[in-house]
């Protein structure tokens, strides 16, 4: 026999899980503290940006077109600048490399190199940070209005659609790092990873690609299970980047069967390739090789051109990257990073 | 003519309990504070858009924040399953234990039906305010809640004839 409306209402009311729930002043204070703290941070600036509003349309754009600057075909939209991401320190007792090292004061440099995202929006860029331990680290992320950070999408930042600046913290764990040489130069000719479209890596609330960072995720989950999240596979990005030094002029690479040429940028000879999806011979690991050597080997890069007509052709995997006739004669290869203080180094 | 909603903190003080209860009915206990905080943060950013009663507007924001939180939770569970090779436990709010028949019927309702019933029966909203929360017209909400109530009553009726297999554990709320 069906219950009457009144009976139903009474039964529902009796089953309300929050009926006898009391939220005390302590809860109120905790919530208000969070809201007040984030209100105090700079937020709410709005600027116009090229951003696709119909994702399916931009997905149909061939990658070659996108890499050649086709993101400009996206529909205009707005991206709000949200609060900066909360600084995050790795909590693992056994960090990836040598443990957290403070980022040296003033040693954070956003490079001029940018690359469009296959689905539009703010471009990708590179940032170099140097640590007090004498390491130089390259970070890759989204860039907007001169800020380096990530987007609130694919689970990041509660999908708020805003851009969030990301502070450089524990850079030696979170980025591609190498010791600076005695002259303070950073040699890092290729780094590659499967990232995520949001551009967030190891940021509380930001999603990450488990393929690329499964070991790190495991460590993070032990201490911060609520702070990490797996991004949907469609948001994977193949990121290949590096610093080829002041003598480099351009790279050529093949992606999806198309050959591309990219001029290197700045005195660092920086380059950045962003492709959609995860391109790796090892689908479980997801990462292409990291190499702090002389030449970007084992990547889609097929050629590096240096000043003076020197051309290094990198055909096939397993190049050792030290072929003498590939190096520009008489010039050091590598980026001259800002000098670290002698007192700050603990190497 | 737009009415002045007053200082944001006054709105917060007037409604944080209702928003907290709303969240507690829809997300896992450990996520309630995050949902409430995020709701008021979004509310603060968009405070100049408030035009009318604050509570339905706030609950509309909380509804979207809670939905994001549940999606994130689902992805996190999937990640844990992949990483640990086992099904991660799913923590969800449950109906108050006791009425197993209602719980079984409740579990068979779809998400929209449950939300419509919750807004009226638990959050105590009238149809106009509940429609604001769900982002539909009052008449559309009235039809929706009427149908939801009818479906629930039908399921309970079938249940009492033994047509529904009642699970050993009460069904989940969300």
């Amino acid at each position: 026999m069906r219950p009457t409306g009144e009976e139903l209402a009474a039964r529902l009311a009796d089953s309300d899980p929050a009926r006898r729930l009391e939220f005390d002043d302590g809860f109120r204070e905790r919530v208000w503290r969070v809201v007040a703290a984030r209100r105090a941070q700079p937020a709410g600036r709005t600027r116009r940006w090229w951003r696709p509003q119909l994702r399916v349309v931009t997905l149909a754009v061939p990658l070659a077109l996108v890499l050649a600057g086709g993101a400009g075909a996206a529909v205009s939209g707005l991206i709000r600048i949200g609060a900066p991401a909360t600084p995050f320190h790795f909590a693992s007792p056994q960090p990836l490399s040598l443990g957290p090292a403070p980022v040296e004061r003033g040693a954070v440099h956003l490079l001029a190199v940018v690359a469009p995202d296959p689905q539009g929006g703010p471009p990708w860029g590179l940032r170099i940070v140097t640590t007090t331990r004498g390491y130089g680290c390259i970070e890759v992320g989204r860039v907007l209005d001169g800020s380096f950070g990530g987007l609130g999408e694919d689970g990041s930042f509660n999908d708020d659609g805003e851009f969030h600046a990301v502070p450089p913290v524990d850079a030696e764990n979170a980025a591609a790092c190498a010791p600076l040489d005695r002259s303070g130069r950073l040699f890092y000719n290729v780094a590659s990873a499967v990232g995520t479209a949001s551009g967030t890596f190891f940021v509380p609330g930001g999603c990450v690609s488990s393929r690329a960072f499964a070991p790190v995720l495991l460590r993070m989950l032990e201490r911060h299970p609520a702070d990490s999240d797996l991004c949907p596979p469609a948001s994977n990005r193949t990121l290949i980047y590096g610093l080829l030094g002041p003598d480099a002029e351009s790279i050529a690479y093949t992606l999806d069967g198309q050959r591309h040429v990219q001029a290197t940028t700045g005195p660092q000879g920086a380059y950045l390739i962003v492709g959609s999806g995860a391109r790796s011979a090892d689908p479980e690991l997801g990462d292409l090789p990291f190499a702090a050597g002389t030449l970007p080997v084992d990547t889609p890069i097929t050629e590096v051109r240096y000043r003076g007509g020197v051309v290094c052709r990198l055909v096939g995997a397993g190049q050792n990257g030290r072929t003498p006739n590939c190096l520009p004669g008489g010039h050091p290869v590598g980026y001259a990073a800002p000098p670290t203080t002698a007192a700050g180094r603990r190497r | 003519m737009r009415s002045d909603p007053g200082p944001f903190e006054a709105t917060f003080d007037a409604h944080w309990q209702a928003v907290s209860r709303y969240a507690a009915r829809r997300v896992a206990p450990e996520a309630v504070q995050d949902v409430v905080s995020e709701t008021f943060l979004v509310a603060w950013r968009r405070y100049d858009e408030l035009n009318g009663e604050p509570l339905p507007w706030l609950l509309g924001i909380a509804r979207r924040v809670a939905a994001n939180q549940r999606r994130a939770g689902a992805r996190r569970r999937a990640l844990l399953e992949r990483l640990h090779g086992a099904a991660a436990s799913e923590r969800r709010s449950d109906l108050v234990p006791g009425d197993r028949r209602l719980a079984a019927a409740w579990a068979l309702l779809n998400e929209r039906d449950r939300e419509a019933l919750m807004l009226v029966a638990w959050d105590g909203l009238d149809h106009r305010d509940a429609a604001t929360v769900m982002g539909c017209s009052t008449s559309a909400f009235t039809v929706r809640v009427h149908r939801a109530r009818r479906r629930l009553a039908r399921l309970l009726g079938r249940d009492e004839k033994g047509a529904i297999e009642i699970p050993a554990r009460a069904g989940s709320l969300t």
Side-chain angles (χ1 to χ4, degrees), chain A residues 1 12 16 21 28 38 225, chain B residues 13 25 41 76 122 160:
Chain A
M1 185 176 173
L12 276 173
D16 179 1
L21 213 51
R28 186 244 181 236
R38 290 183 61 186
Chain B
D13 275 330
R25 290 170 180 129
L41 193 66
R76 197 154 45 238
W122 293 351
E160 283 161 13

Side-chain angles (χ1 to χ4, degrees), chain A:
Chain A
M1 185 176 173
R2 289 189 193 182
T4 65
E6 286 179 3
E7 288 169 349
L8 194 58
R11 286 173 74 172
L12 276 173
D14 286 343
S15 296
D16 179 1
R19 188 165 53 119
R20 295 193 178 87
L21 213 51
E22 291 297 329
F23 293 93
D24 59 15
D25 287 345
F27 181 88
R28 186 244 181 236
E29 286 309 310
R30 287 194 299 277
V31 169
W32 181 250
R33 213 179 299 132
V34 171
V35 175
R38 290 183 61 186
R39 280 172 65 191
Q41 294 172 340
R45 280 193 298 144
T46 303
R47 61 169 285 137
R48 291 205 168 272
W49 193 258
W50 295 102
R51 179 177 172 81
Q53 293 179 343
L54 291 172
R55 180 164 288 196
V56 65
V57 173
T58 55
L59 275 173
V61 176
L63 182 62
L65 178 61
V66 170
L67 289 174
V75 182
S76 177
L78 285 173
I79 290 187
R80 293 171 65 91
I81 297 178
T86 308
F88 176 68
H89 293 271
F90 276 80
S92 169
Q94 293 179 312
L96 280 183
S97 57
L98 300 171
V103 172
E104 198 170 30
R105 183 182 292 272
V108 181
H109 297 275
L110 182 65
L111 304 186
V113 63
V114 291
D117 184 81
Q119 293 185 25
W124 290 80
L126 298 179
R127 174 169 73 179
I128 293 177
V129 300
T130 53
T131 72
T132 56
R133 213 198 312 269
Y135 274 67
C137 302
I138 315 173
E139 294 182 328
V140 59
R142 307 297 285 260
V143 175
L144 181 61
D145 201 18
S147 290
F148 182 95
L151 300 175
E153 62 180 42
D154 295 326
S156 300
F157 303 109
N158 288 310
D159 288 327
D160 61 9
E162 298 179 350
F163 175 88
H164 299 262
V166 174
V169 178
D170 290 0
E172 287 182 23
N173 275 329
C177 299
L180 300 172
D181 74 357
R182 295 178 70 176
S183 302
R185 288 182 304 231
L186 172 61
F187 290 79
Y188 216 113
N189 290 311
V190 63
S192 53
V194 177
T196 52
S198 63
T200 56
F201 300 88
F202 313 112
V203 172
C207 66
V208 292
S209 164
S210 68
R211 283 173 176 269
F213 302 112
V216 178
L217 270 173
L218 278 168
R219 293 190 181 117
M220 289 175 69
L221 286 169
E222 288 172 3
R223 297 291 297 269
H224 294 283
D227 288 338
S228 59
D229 199 2
L230 177 64
C231 289
S235 72
N236 281 345
R237 295 287 183 274
T238 295
L239 306 164
I240 302 165
Y241 51 97
L243 313 174
L244 293 170
D247 291 303
E249 290 185 338
S250 68
I251 60 166
Y253 61 94
T254 302
L255 211 56
D256 291 339
Q258 298 284 321
R259 185 174 186 271
H260 307 270
V261 175
Q262 182 181 123
T264 56
T265 306
Q268 307 87 1
Y271 68 92
L272 173 58
I273 302 168
V274 180
S276 58
R279 290 174 172 77
S280 170
D282 183 347
E284 290 306 313
L285 185 60
D287 272 343
L288 292 161
F290 280 73
T294 308
L295 290 169
V297 297
D298 298 325
T299 72
I301 298 172
T302 56
E303 186 180 285
V304 180
R305 285 183 178 269
Y306 291 97
R307 194 165 48 191
V310 178
V311 179
C312 291
R313 290 193 172 82
L314 310 166
V315 181
Q319 294 263 2
N320 63 19
R322 293 183 181 85
T323 310
N325 64 5
C326 275
L327 298 178
H331 297 286
V333 177
Y335 162 55
T340 54
T341 59
R345 295 194 187 190
R346 287 185 272 121
R347 276 192 289 174

Side-chain angles (χ1 to χ4, degrees), chain B residues 1 9-10 26 36 38-39 50 70-71 75 84-85 90 105 110 120 125 130 132 167:
Chain B
M1 183 88 175
E9 189 162 0
R26 287 157 179 86
V36 178
E38 190 63 29
T39 297
L50 172 58
R70 284 197 298 269
R71 279 196 293 273
R75 282 197 294 272
H84 298 295
E90 187 177 357
N110 65 37
V120 173
L125 301 185
T132 301

